[in-house]
Amino acid sequence: QTKRSDVSNSEYAKFVSQEVPRDEVSILNSVFSHLAYTFHKNPSNTEAMDAYNGIAFTIRDRLLKRLEDTDSHFISINAKRINYMSMEFLIGRTFDNAMLALGLRKEYSAVSNTLGFNLEDLIDEERDAALGNGGLGRLAACFVDSMACCNYNGWGYGLRYRYGMFQQQIINGYQVEAPDCWMDNPNPWEFPRPEISYKVKFYGNIAKTPSTSSGYTWENAVEYDVMAFDTPVPAFGTKNVGNIRLWSCKTNDLFDLNRFNAGDYPGATGNMVAADILTYVLYPNDNQNAGKELRLKQEYMFVSATIQDIIHRFKLTGKPWSEFHELVAIQLNDTHPTLGIAELQRILVDEEAMSWDAAWDIVTKSFAFTNHTILPEALEKWPVPMMGKILPRHLGIIFDINLFFLQHVEKSIPSEREFLSRISIIEESSPQQVRMAYLAIVGSHRVNGVAQIHSDIIKATIFSEFVKVFGSDKFVNVTNGVTTRRWVNQCNPGLSALITETVGDESWVDDYPKAHLLESRVNDEDFRKRWWDVKQANKLRLATYIKDTCGITVNHDALFDIQVKRIHEYKRQLMNILGVIHRYNTLKKMTPEQRQDQVHRVIIFAGKSASGYYIAKLIIKFINSVADVVNNDKDIGDVLKVVFIPDYCVSAAEVIVPASDISQHISTAGTEASGTSNMKFVMNGGLILGTVDGANVEIAEEVGDDQIFMFGVLAHEVDEFRFNLRYHPDPLDANLQAVYDTIKSGVFGNPDEFNPLVECSHGPGDNYLVSVDFASYLMAQDAVDALYKDRESWITKSILCGSRMGKFTSDRSITDYAENIWNIEPSAVDA
Ligand code: T68
């Protein structure tokens, strides 16, 4: 029992209830105070990093106050809380976002000038919090932003990785990975909460005992203390503040002093390292399941601490268990936190003396599951022997869940053994495997896909048997969205100013459908010119960034054609670069005069490959090899440039996204669950070139088919084309053959090195139908060129696109979840 101070102390209560001052003078004084007393700096040795820290800590003070108020508010009204469980939160930077959210950016700009710094330079001092791979992690970050902005009682739960997404260096054209040491600097945005910690167990064995209601206990386990770190999430237009609670192990008391004294230093620290390593690294795979034991431990540590914390907070309400699901919603961001289902069931039956059925009722009413992929290599499975070793009790519970589930299926739909084995949570392979998606479906009351086409596909394919068992209503769609705070207001100040002027105030920032008013100005000459100028200024900013990061000079008057995302075969960066070679070949055949007449293009790539993904890494090398040749070809000059920007991350995206004329979202139909960068690009007035896949489909519906360049086979045709490639191949497209001939000539380097890319883009190896879509892709690219020559039509399309994206804010997504899955109401702190 810890001794507490008398919290009813009235002076203390008066102090904390005060508003934190917002005027420039008070802010400046608090910055001075942090510089002097938090960071031990004085006016003669305050550098940019110090100024950033000093200022950031005053923002932190203001956020913390709001976080406290938000928490007390929701506790006082017993609000239902949504717990968004995600192994990844790709937050990026917080500084600028927080200043904008607090409505204090002008004040802080003045304060930084007083300190002798330009605010823009201080913004660049911050390192990204890159605790995610790509779309899934960034979606989680957008969702916590929206939950806070929309006044929902929502928290994110995740892991506090010491090393986030690796830093990508490009050396001789190859990706080289370096650790992301993002914790080297003080982190103003996190609050260690040593008082919030839970015991998490691994290994050991199960014993039968009459002392628990289930008759089982988990013995001889290794135990770690897992501690919370809170990261407040600033919200725009409300005093509510969100929170992301990240876990990491406490290790100090695992130090073995006796071994140390005996000179056994590795032995003395062995247990510390074993605990610490659990949150060392974020696994750098997107849409790929690595199947590593350490990853399973990470997942369980995350899940166990989170579920214990949720239960702890629930118990503080004093409500009976039967009301748990009325106060708690748990959303599983993909299958990575699915063990939470077994963990809650375990705690209820082993520790809370509940019957199996009562516990299962609570579990299934609380959990809901989001699927983000149908790629077979991404679907998580864990070998039964591995799970049995690390989590013996959970494995037993999962087998029981499966048994009761299969019994239920047998009773409700008379079925053959085949059907039961297809639907079983346990795959009868050697060794047996736990199918995590199936466990997530069985343990949840709702399952959703992330765009309409994807939600339809999962119902018709990978989860179709479950639709038969549970009925169609359990499977819903929630189309993804992105936060307009970061992806328009923060990253594109020029465009923001135009929208604010059009709408009349800043209300569009958290009510994005209002951006449709832009459409009313589509024929206003002055507006059109400013719209174009904003884009040109953003392109100039990106051109400077490219010069700084790649040393390549590009002309910002050229058409900027951008494909930035994780490197993956299904996303078809390969088709893009093969198209570039075709363009290069075509230009080479022209006279200098003809060449100058062509639309000048800068083709920009960026993205990381999983470290063990051979073909994706080869694609990066190939892009860089082609870029080298094209960029140094005197005949070509400015007509075509190819750039691979290294180390794509959230803060790079903030410079890249506002600068696109066209961006490419060209996955094989049916493979990209949604995509979210497509939304960001269009919101920022870029047009898109895409396949009929993911959210492209809904974007086209919203902005109009005429505004978007679509090509390629449809999802339902893919299987047939794959079959044909294998058994009845068509002759190869002449343009593609010419591209292969260029590669084989050796102009881009040793053709043998790139042969695997030739092999996986045609014939039986062409799993993602590059050769099938290539001709229609080139035609779509020609249409892009033709339109760009007609500047007025281009501007019209760009404005229409930008104004019709209201649907794709994450505020809308979150409201959909709240209404259709979580059953929760918003409530503002100051209401
Ligand atoms: C992405 N998935 C989808 N996965 O590919 C994308 N995978 O279509 C969608 O828009 C986005 O999720 C949001 O719904 C991923 O980003 C991963 O990053 C990932 C991470 C670990 C393991 C597997």
Side-chain angles (χ1 to χ4, degrees):
Q1 200 70 45
T2 30
K3 194 163 178 280
R4 297 198 171 197
S5 77
D6 179 3
V7 281
S8 63
N9 179 315
S10 63
E11 288 305 310
Y12 185 16
K14 227 190 310 170
F15 177 78
V16 292
S17 68
Q18 284 166 19
E19 277 292 324
V20 186
R22 297 171 57 86
D23 63 286
E24 218 177 285
V25 175
S26 309
I27 292 175
L28 187 61
N29 280 323
S30 59
V31 172
F32 288 153
S33 166
H34 276 299
L35 281 171
Y37 306 128
T38 310
F39 293 103
H40 192 198
K41 290 287 161 185
N42 63 56
S44 65
N45 66 4
T46 296
E47 295 177 8
M49 174 57 83
D50 308 313
Y52 158 72
N53 278 322
I55 293 183
F57 268 69
T58 68
I59 297 174
R60 164 194 167 106
D61 295 343
R62 283 156 180 79
L63 287 179
L64 187 59
K65 161 84 174 116
R66 289 189 176 188
L67 180 63
E68 283 302 314
D69 290 350
T70 308
D71 210 28
S72 320
H73 167 70
F74 283 126
I75 288 173
S76 75
I77 61 167
N78 261 334
K80 180 169 187 174
R81 196 171 82 187
I82 139 83
N83 303 279
Y84 195 83
M85 290 184 72
S86 178
M87 289 282 280
E88 307 191 3
F89 288 91
L90 187 45
I91 299 170
R93 292 172 172 166
T94 297
F95 188 55
D96 198 14
N97 196 253
M99 289 185 287
L100 287 163
L102 291 169
L104 291 173
R105 202 176 187 283
K106 263 199 212 121
E107 287 77 354
Y108 276 109
S109 184
V111 164
S112 71
N113 286 339
T114 310
L115 289 177
F117 296 95
N118 188 334
L119 188 59
E120 309 302 326
D121 294 335
L122 299 190
I123 288 171
D124 280 336
E125 290 294 319
E126 181 175 6
R127 287 192 70 138
D128 279 31
L131 308 184
N133 274 283
L136 172 146
R138 182 55 233 176
L139 186 77
C142 283
F143 278 3
V144 216
D145 175 287
S146 281
M147 288 194 285
C149 286
C150 298
N151 298 314
Y152 288 110
N153 184 19
W155 274 19
Y157 276 101
L159 284 179
R160 181 176 177 267
Y161 303 106
R162 176 178 301 188
Y163 301 102
M165 190 59 208
F166 64 78
Q167 287 197 296
Q168 179 195 52
Q169 297 163 358
I170 300 295
I171 300 181
N172 292 329
Y174 294 97
Q175 166 175 301
V176 174
E177 300 102 32
D180 165 43
C181 311
W182 73 293
M183 290 186 178
D184 280 357
N185 302 327
N187 179 355
W189 314 117
E190 92 172 357
F191 297 88
R193 304 293 303 269
E195 77 281 17
I196 300 172
S197 77
Y198 299 97
K199 300 232 176 279
V200 173
K201 304 198 282 187
F202 298 99
Y203 304 109
N205 57 279
I206 304 306
K208 283 211 169 237
T209 163
S211 68
T212 65
S213 62
S214 65
Y216 290 103
T217 52
W218 181 5
E219 296 179 342
N220 303 315
V222 179
E223 232 177 42
Y224 297 124
D225 281 314
V226 174
M227 166 183 154
F229 290 77
D230 286 346
T231 301
V233 178
F236 184 98
T238 169
K239 287 187 176 164
N240 287 39
V241 158
N243 188 28
I244 302 178
R245 178 159 286 178
L246 302 178
W247 302 105
S248 118
C249 273
K250 281 184 175 175
T251 57
N252 288 345
D253 62 355
L254 299 173
F255 179 62
D256 190 329
L257 187 59
N258 291 327
R259 287 190 170 185
F260 182 87
N261 288 340
D264 174 11
Y265 305 126
T269 53
N271 286 336
M272 295 174 87
V273 173
D276 213 15
I277 208 160
L278 288 174
T279 52
Y280 258 28
V281 283
L282 164 76
Y283 275 91
N285 306 313
D286 87 307
N287 283 304
Q288 220 161 27
N289 178 29
K292 294 276 191 288
E293 191 166 312
L294 184 61
R295 166 82 177 188
L296 181 61
K297 288 191 187 167
Q298 284 188 335
E299 290 183 358
Y300 180 62
M301 161 186 170
F302 159 47
V303 148
S304 177
T306 304
I307 298 294
Q308 291 184 64
D309 197 45
I310 291 171
I311 291 176
H312 170 77
R313 291 179 63 101
F314 168 72
K315 285 186 171 174
L316 293 177
T317 66
K319 301 277 184 177
W321 280 111
S322 56
E323 289 178 27
F324 186 79
H325 69 281
E326 285 166 22
L327 290 167
V328 174
I330 304 174
Q331 190 69 33
L332 301 173
N333 194 24
D334 214 307
T335 54
H336 323 142
T338 299
L339 281 169
I341 289 171
E343 176 70 348
L344 181 56
Q345 182 72 7
R346 180 189 71 83
I347 293 175
L348 296 180
V349 298
D350 285 0
E351 295 175 11
E352 298 292 337
M354 210 175 281
S355 74
W356 179 275
D357 289 348
W360 189 241
D361 189 49
I362 290 174
V363 169
T364 49
K365 281 179 174 156
S366 311
F367 279 93
F369 159 53
T370 306
N371 168 275
H372 296 264
T373 186
I374 64 156
L375 295 186
E377 66 269 31
L379 296 177
E380 256 191 319
K381 290 177 191 170
W382 291 108
V384 163
M386 188 194 286
M387 195 177 277
K389 182 175 89 175
I390 297 170
L391 302 167
R393 180 62 184 130
H394 295 78
L395 183 64
I397 286 177
I398 291 168
F399 269 90
D400 285 348
I401 292 172
N402 195 37
L403 178 70
F404 297 134
F405 167 61
L406 294 179
Q407 283 173 349
H408 160 82
V409 175
E410 250 185 331
K411 252 190 263 152
S412 51
I413 25 180
S415 29
E416 322 101 58
R417 284 200 75 76
E418 270 297 292
F419 181 77
L420 292 179
S421 89
R422 281 202 303 276
I423 209 164
S424 171
I425 295 171
I426 306 299
E427 180 182 279
E428 293 303 330
S429 43
S430 169
Q432 291 176 307
Q433 310 263 346
V434 183
R435 296 159 162 165
M436 299 307 272
Y438 292 10
L439 176 59
I441 295 172
V442 173
S444 296
H445 66 289
R446 284 287 181 281
V447 177
N448 76 284
V450 288
Q452 190 61 54
I453 181 177
H454 168 66
S455 298
D456 292 343
I457 289 174
I458 58 179
K459 282 171 77 168
T461 61
I462 54 172
F463 301 152
S464 61
E465 316 272 30
F466 289 91
V467 176
K468 290 184 198 148
V469 174
F470 291 112
S472 190
D473 292 353
K474 176 162 175 166
F475 297 83
V476 297
N477 172 55
V478 182
T479 298
N480 283 165
V482 301
T483 169
T484 46
R485 269 71 64 180
R486 182 177 296 264
W487 296 111
V488 181
N489 192 40
Q490 178 188 322
C491 73
N492 197 342
L495 177 62
S496 296
L498 271 186
I499 310 179
T500 300
E501 180 195 292
T502 306
V503 171
D505 54 37
E506 283 192 328
S507 59
W508 61 272
V509 178
D510 51 13
D511 185 5
Y512 197 61
K514 282 190 178 164
H516 81 89
L517 290 171
L518 291 168
E519 198 165 334
S520 64
R521 302 184 73 183
V522 71
N523 294 320
D524 167 345
E525 278 315 311
D526 172 60
F527 181 80
R528 293 169 66 86
K529 179 173 182 316
R530 285 160 66 203
W531 184 271
W532 177 262
D533 290 346
V534 165
K535 182 60 81 181
Q536 294 308 106
N538 289 330
K539 287 165 71 176
L540 185 58
R541 179 172 71 161
L542 177 56
T544 310
Y545 187 84
I546 289 172
K547 180 80 192 160
D548 292 348
T549 52
C550 316
I552 298 173
T553 305
V554 298
N555 182 351
H556 77 283
D557 281 333
L559 184 158
F560 276 24
D561 170 351
I562 302 182
Q563 189 181 20
V564 290
K565 45 184 87 244
R566 288 299 292 256
I567 311 292
H568 220 293
E569 284 161 278
Y570 85 84
K571 295 178 189 276
R572 300 200 292 193
Q573 284 92 353
L574 183 55
M575 188 162 72
N576 185 350
I577 193 69
L578 295 174
V580 172
I581 297 172
H582 168 76
R583 182 175 288 268
Y584 177 64
N585 284 345
T586 312
L587 289 169
K588 285 294 272 185
K589 284 189 215 130
M590 292 177 175
T591 64
E593 294 71 32
Q594 284 172 326
R595 268 200 289 272
Q596 281 314 314
D597 243 20
Q598 303 304 305
V599 171
H600 291 30
R601 281 215 197 200
V602 180
I603 298 178
I604 297 162
F605 293 86
K608 293 175 184 175
S609 155
S611 34
Y613 189 171
Y614 164 73
I615 288 284
K617 288 182 133 176
L618 191 57
I619 291 171
I620 294 177
K621 167 64 182 169
F622 185 52
I623 293 170
N624 282 307
S625 298
V626 173
D628 256 358
V629 172
V630 173
N631 296 342
N632 293 308
D633 189 324
K634 296 258 171 352
D635 294 343
I636 299 296
D638 256 6
V639 183
L640 179 61
K641 291 280 175 213
V642 183
V643 178
F644 188 98
I645 300 176
D647 203 36
Y648 184 57
C649 57
V650 172
S651 50
E654 288 168 19
V655 181
I656 295 170
V657 166
S660 85
D661 291 305
I662 194 99
S663 65
Q664 300 198 33
H665 309 275
I666 56 176
S667 49
T668 315
T671 59
E672 187 71 274
S674 162
T676 41
S677 74
N678 41 6
M679 303 168 185
K680 297 168 194 168
F681 280 106
V682 184
M683 284 176 173
N684 284 278
L687 304 189
I688 63 179
L689 168 58
T691 44
V692 187
D693 202 16
N696 292 352
V697 177
E698 285 157 82
I699 293 175
E701 274 167 22
E702 293 295 305
V703 302
D705 287 344
D706 292 351
Q707 326 301 338
I708 190 168
F709 300 92
M710 289 262 210
F711 70 95
V713 305
L714 304 178
H716 68 87
E717 301 168 335
V718 164
D719 282 344
E720 194 185 329
F721 277 106
R722 277 196 186 128
F723 183 87
N724 286 346
L725 279 171
R726 193 157 300 206
Y727 301 107
H728 314 290
D730 283 337
L732 201 56
D733 174 270
N735 286 320
L736 186 56
Q737 184 60 58
V739 168
Y740 290 154
D741 293 343
T742 315
I743 298 170
K744 286 183 181 147
S745 77
V747 278
F748 304 121
N750 180 359
D752 291 344
E753 180 176 11
F754 300 127
N755 198 44
L757 302 182
V758 172
E759 288 308 317
C760 73
S761 54
H762 77 285
D766 185 10
N767 201 29
Y768 295 102
L769 309 189
V770 171
S771 61
V772 175
D773 279 347
F774 196 63
S776 63
Y777 174 65
L778 295 185
M779 272 166 61
Q781 284 284 25
D782 288 345
V784 171
D785 283 330
L787 186 75
Y788 200 71
K789 283 189 174 154
D790 175 3
R791 182 182 294 184
E792 292 310 321
S793 300
W794 187 279
I795 294 176
T796 301
K797 283 196 196 304
S798 165
I799 296 174
L800 293 182
C801 278
S803 64
R804 294 175 178 176
M805 291 296 287
K807 170 173 174 183
F808 300 100
T809 72
S810 40
D811 298 354
R812 191 270 311 141
S813 309
I814 284 300
T815 310
D816 283 357
Y817 278 100
E819 289 173 359
N820 303 328
I821 299 181
W822 302 333
N823 190 22
I824 122 175
E825 300 285 331
S827 170
V829 167
D830 44 353

